[in-house]
Each structure stands twice: as structure tokens, then as C-alpha cells.
Amino acid sequence: MTISLRKCDYSDCEKIRQMQKSAFAALLEKYRDYDTNPACESVERIREKMNQPQTTWYFIISGSDVVGCVRLFEIDDRTMRISPIFILPEYQNRGYAQEAMNLLEKENPQADKWELDTILQEEKLCRLYEKLGYRKTGESYGIKDGMTIVFYKKP
């Protein structure tokens, strides 16, 4: 499998919103978290993030298909944060997220620290990040009963 990353621009904000809505719908249904789930994020909020000078959005491409998206946030010269990364439902479980994260790291060799967060109760997501070398920081916070956000760092 070969994937590539293509930088998004301001004109892609509506497409990103539609993709987030699709990719995060199952988690929204499961947790009913209407305040922080990206499926509920407005185009205006995505535009605000797009305008942040330390933010770059990328489409994840396989062949001619856009299979997902990732936002990379530069905390400082050596620290990057991934938030969010998502794969459209019809492309999930094929290794695209793993490949995209590996490619991001390869294309940003100046970064020696990487951060992200996810839902603790989503064991599959936690396993993915741990497989890629991310480790829990010990920080977490509850969104609601049965839904805890856990933070990861690499290395």
C-alpha cells in the first residue's frame, strides 16, 4: 500500500467538515458527545484552525482516492501534535492511519517529539498509537461517564 499526503487549503474546509462528519459519526452515536466530537465541528471552526500559522491539514490519499485527513500542529520546532487524524469509514482497517502517521514523521525529521490524544475506551485506537511507539503520559480527563480522553507522547 502506498499513500501520499496532500496539503489542504482554505477551499477544502467544507470537504474536511463533511469527511469529519462521516468519520466520527459512529463515535458520536456511541458517546453522544456533541461538544468535542469532530463530527459536530463547524466549517468556521475548521477555518479558524486552518488559519493558525502552526497548523497544516493534509488529505490522506491512496491512488486517486481521498481516504482520510490529518491535522498537524507544530507546538515548537521539535514537537508536533496530531489532532485529529481520521479515515473515512469505507477505508478503515486497511492501515491508512498507520501509514499516514509514519509518513508525517518521515516528512518532519526535525520533530523528535509527537503528541496526540484519543478516547481511552477505544481500545483499537489506543493499540494503534501504542503500536506506533506512542506511550500514555498519565494525563487524562473525563468528558462524561464512560468517556475519558487520554494523552500520548512519542518518544
Side-chain angles (χ1 to χ4, degrees), residues 24-37 40 119 143-147:
F24 288 99
L27 292 176
L28 183 62
E29 175 74 21
K30 181 176 182 178
Y31 295 104
R32 301 202 180 280
D33 169 36
Y34 300 99
D35 295 327
T36 67
N37 186 302
C40 298
I119 301 169
I143 297 280
K144 59 191 313 186
D145 239 10
M147 182 183 179

Side-chain angles (χ1 to χ4, degrees), residues 7-8 49 52-58 70-73:
K7 280 187 184 179
C8 302
K49 290 178 179 180
Q52 295 170 333
Q54 66 274 40
T55 290
T56 307
W57 287 84
Y58 297 93
V70 59
R71 175 178 170 247
L72 189 62
F73 182 85

Side-chain angles (χ1 to χ4, degrees), residues 7 20 39-40 52 63 66 78 92 98 124 129 132-133:
K7 280 187 184 179
Q20 281 188 169
C40 298
Q52 295 170 333
V66 177
R78 300 184 65 173
Q92 290 176 4
Q98 181 175 335
K124 185 173 152 188
Y129 302 135
L132 291 169

Side-chain angles (χ1 to χ4, degrees), residues 82-107:
I82 296 172
S83 177
I85 183 168
F86 56 90
I87 304 299
L88 292 169
E90 60 269 29
Y91 296 103
Q92 290 176 4
N93 302 311
R94 298 185 193 177
Y96 291 125
Q98 181 175 335
E99 288 300 314
M101 292 174 71
N102 286 333
L103 190 52
L104 280 173
E105 290 179 21
K106 183 178 176 184
E107 292 184 358

Side-chain angles (χ1 to χ4, degrees), residues 2-3 11-12 19 21 28 43 48 51 81 90 96 131 142 144:
T2 303
I3 63 134
S11 68
D12 295 315
M19 290 174 66
K21 194 172 176 182
L28 183 62
V43 174
E48 288 172 15
N51 283 329
R81 177 168 179 72
E90 60 269 29
Y96 291 125
K131 178 180 175 181
K144 59 191 313 186

Side-chain angles (χ1 to χ4, degrees), residues 4-26:
S4 61
L5 300 173
R6 188 180 82 218
K7 280 187 184 179
C8 302
D9 62 36
Y10 204 67
S11 68
D12 295 315
C13 291
E14 177 60 36
K15 182 172 183 164
I16 293 168
R17 187 186 85 74
Q18 289 300 324
M19 290 174 66
Q20 281 188 169
K21 194 172 176 182
S22 174
F24 288 99

